[in-house]
Amino acid sequence: MPSAAGTPTGKLPFVVWVLAAGTFLMGTTEFVIAGLLPEIAGDLGVGLSRAGLLITAFAVGMIVGGPTTALATLRLPRRLALVLALALFALGHVVAALSTSFTVVLAARVVTALATGAFWAVGFVIATAAAGPARATRAVGVMMGGLTLANVVGVPIGSFVGRYTGWRGPFWALAVLAALAAVFVARFVPATEQRAELSVRAEVRALRQGRLWLALAAAVLIMGGVLATYTYITPLLTDRAGIPSGAVPSVLIVFGLGALGGTAIGGRLGDRRPMATTITAAAVTALALFLLIPLSTGPATAVVLVFLMALAGFTANPVVTSLAVRFAGDAPTLTSALSTSAYNTGIAVGSALAGRALNTSLGLTGPALVGAVSAALTLLPLIALALGGTRRQARIAARHTAPARMRDHETTSVSSRH
């Protein structure tokens, strides 16, 4: 897919913003369930813990289904793959909204997760190709900004609407919006066919690169660190920082604004200085999470540190994703899907470890400690990538310098003979 020729310098193609709107819908459906669990449990006649499986099922569907659907749609034109993903997304919500069976709703969530994984995998490839190499990270940042905006706007609105219309209301709204998004995708995404040489074998072969797995490891660790703390941030704010429960949503909005700012910063700086940006972001994230342990007893410092951990943590995300897609070369689709799986793996593992830490003597500070350690460990793959890149540049420079020295030596020898 050619980069957007004729796009003014510094501006991203409109298709990137269309894809960001799609990720907004995907992010909203992934997280809005948390605010609707009591209504869903009561309506379907199940307990809260069983209703919570709707969140787990979606995460598992994203982890496993993303790469699977990416390979399954590899031979399809990218525009068609996106339209089909949005259609399946809408259908999953319609089935869930019409059903009175928890099992059917659970299955619909898995189907929706598969569609989400396919959309993310193909969408990232289209966005980076349309933006061109100089703006690829910024394009990824805009797409991930759609996901972050879902937490700031989509999830609160969905939860609010669900209280007045029932949990099925937001599901119907998401189905309609997904159908509308499919129309926009069909209109604005160029009808470029997949290249003939793309194959499952080529996609799998791209996974042999060690630096690709370093980038994916960084994605798991940084997201696991931030979300490990965020999952249990409410009891920390109310029971330790002394913030009234009614004010917690405002603090969560502060977190969302920090995450939105972080994706914007990462998108802006990541193309020019990717390693410096990610290493600094990971270090600041680890420091903010660590300081949250002793300083979360004060409301003001707790809110500032929550904002800082979101700002720094989400700065690394678009850069790491862009690096992974770049390392994949001509076979980026599976890698893009694995990036999404990596983030969801980080969320699942980080949240599980944080829950265990919460039940130890660490108490409310346990999740923050788990997050700080995970964020600090992110520095290991990032530093390895930076050192590997430096060595690679040195080898390239040496290859270019050697012929020049040889030519200079030959010229000197000829001159001396004359």
Side-chain angles (χ1 to χ4, degrees), residues 5-415:
T7 301
T9 303
K11 291 186 177 181
L12 291 172
F14 183 67
V15 66
V16 175
W17 299 98
V18 173
L19 295 171
T23 61
F24 173 82
L25 296 179
M26 308 295 175
T28 299
T29 201
E30 181 172 7
F31 299 113
V32 75
I33 287 291
L36 301 173
L37 273 185
E39 290 84 358
I40 294 174
D43 186 51
L44 298 180
V46 297
L48 279 177
S49 59
R50 184 166 171 76
L53 291 175
L54 296 174
I55 299 174
T56 306
F58 195 95
V60 172
M62 287 285 289
I63 293 169
V64 178
T68 304
T69 54
L71 291 177
T73 60
L74 191 62
R75 298 291 183 135
L76 294 177
R78 286 170 178 163
R79 183 173 70 178
L80 177 59
L82 287 180
V83 171
L84 289 176
L86 286 166
L88 190 61
F89 181 91
L91 179 62
H93 283 82
V94 169
V95 170
L98 291 173
S99 178
T100 57
S101 165
F102 176 79
T103 303
V104 172
V105 175
L106 187 68
R109 286 287 288 174
V110 174
V111 170
T112 303
L114 295 178
T116 301
F119 184 92
W120 274 71
V122 180
F124 273 132
V125 175
I126 292 176
T128 54
R135 293 172 294 174
T137 304
R138 187 179 166 200
V140 172
V142 169
M143 277 196 67
M144 297 190 77
L147 176 63
T148 309
L149 193 62
N151 285 294
V152 181
V153 178
V155 172
I157 290 178
S159 299
F160 178 79
V161 171
R163 288 191 180 140
Y164 290 93
T165 66
W167 66 270
R168 300 175 194 274
F171 274 62
W172 281 113
L174 285 166
V176 172
L177 290 173
L180 184 62
V183 173
F184 272 82
V185 165
R187 169 66 180 82
F188 292 104
V189 173
T192 305
E193 296 293 325
Q194 288 281 53
R195 289 171 292 181
E197 66 269 19
L198 283 181
S199 65
V200 173
R201 183 177 299 177
E203 292 284 339
V204 174
R205 190 164 53 242
L207 302 182
R208 296 176 181 175
Q209 300 185 67
R211 56 181 183 164
L212 170 60
W213 290 102
L214 287 173
L216 293 176
V220 171
L221 290 168
I222 193 66
M223 184 56 70
V226 174
L227 268 297
T229 307
Y230 180 73
T231 301
Y232 298 98
I233 198 66
T234 297
L236 182 74
L237 294 174
T238 56
D239 299 344
R240 185 170 171 83
I243 295 175
S245 58
V248 170
S250 299
V251 181
L252 299 184
I253 291 176
V254 169
F255 175 90
L257 292 174
L260 191 62
T263 55
I265 293 171
R268 288 283 183 178
L269 300 180
D271 287 317
R272 289 173 288 176
R273 296 182 177 274
M275 300 319 306
T277 301
T278 50
I279 289 173
T280 302
V284 173
T285 304
L287 179 62
L289 290 168
F290 179 76
L291 290 177
L292 196 60
I293 298 171
L295 299 181
S296 58
T297 52
T301 53
V303 172
V304 169
L305 289 171
V306 166
F307 175 81
L308 187 58
M309 79 173 187
L311 183 72
F314 279 79
T315 294
N317 291 349
V319 190
V320 170
T321 302
S322 180
L323 286 173
V325 173
R326 186 187 310 170
F327 293 154
D330 293 331
T333 307
L334 179 58
T335 299
S336 179
L338 286 173
S339 298
T340 306
S341 296
Y343 288 124
N344 280 275
T345 300
I347 293 171
V349 175
S351 299
L353 292 176
R356 288 181 175 273
L358 188 68
N359 294 323
T360 67
S361 58
L362 294 170
L364 295 173
T365 62
L369 180 60
V370 171
V373 171
S374 183
L377 289 175
T378 309
L379 293 169
L380 297 179
L382 291 177
I383 291 173
L385 278 173
L387 294 176
T390 302
R391 288 193 294 266
R392 193 174 294 105
Q393 290 174 356
R395 287 196 298 268
I396 293 173
R399 285 198 296 268
H400 285 286
T401 304
R405 288 177 178 171
M406 188 176 297
R407 287 194 300 271
D408 292 341
H409 176 71
E410 291 173 353
T411 301
T412 303
S413 300
V414 171
S415 300

